[in-house]
Amino acid sequence: MSSVQQYPSIQLPLRLWIATTGVMALVQAGQCFLGDSTFLGQRIYSLQPELVTPLSARLFGMWILLAGGLRLGCAYNISNSHLYNATMYSYGLAFFHFTTELAFYRTADVNFGTVAPIFVSGGSLLWMLIALRSFGKAQSKQK
């Protein structure tokens, strides 16, 4: 992935998007730590809001805080393959979590609080996979 730096037209929009999702994650983490835990029950886990406790809100906040920091690190240093792969994994985890809460566990209803994270995480993961493939092709053309 060292050739990513030589392709700013590929790199810049993705970096900005990853940074945006990182900042959004940090804001949501702040809500989990500083706000009332009922917002998770109202916005995300609306079919079983009684399962959302202050402890589960803080745990969710810690997960989001970790993901946000990871994403900001990747946006800053996108050529670091370990950060890039870990960030893709964080999007995959988010996609898996929200999809299973919606379809399997049925704690979430189809609303903005669940559909938006599914689209953001799934779209981000797909974009990063496509970019990774593009970066690999760019590297092989240089050789």
Side-chain angles (χ1 to χ4, degrees), residues 74-142:
C74 180
Y76 178 74
N77 188 5
I78 200 165
S79 61
N80 183 317
S81 63
H82 299 296
L83 270 176
Y84 194 90
N85 291 335
T87 302
M88 283 195 306
Y89 188 73
S90 78
Y91 286 124
L93 283 176
F95 182 81
F96 179 78
H97 170 75
F98 288 105
T99 303
T100 56
E101 292 298 331
L102 184 66
F104 182 72
Y105 297 114
R106 301 197 189 280
T107 57
D109 198 9
V110 177
N111 58 35
F112 183 78
T114 54
V115 174
I118 289 171
F119 278 108
V120 168
S121 61
S124 300
L125 178 60
L126 183 62
W127 190 359
M128 288 185 79
L129 287 168
I130 291 168
L132 184 64
R133 186 177 173 121
S134 298
F135 298 152
K137 285 181 181 178
Q139 283 179 334
S140 64
K141 285 181 182 179
Q142 285 183 336

Side-chain angles (χ1 to χ4, degrees), residues 2-47:
S2 61
S3 68
V4 175
Q5 305 233 350
Q6 298 171 3
Y7 297 91
S9 63
I10 296 171
Q11 177 189 16
L12 184 61
L14 181 58
R15 287 179 72 180
L16 291 173
W17 175 253
I18 293 171
T20 301
T21 63
V23 169
M24 289 170 25
L26 295 181
V27 169
Q28 188 170 14
Q31 288 179 318
C32 291
F33 290 117
L34 303 173
D36 187 11
S37 63
T38 57
F39 85 93
L40 285 174
Q42 294 168 351
R43 287 185 18 209
I44 299 173
Y45 307 104
S46 57
L47 294 181

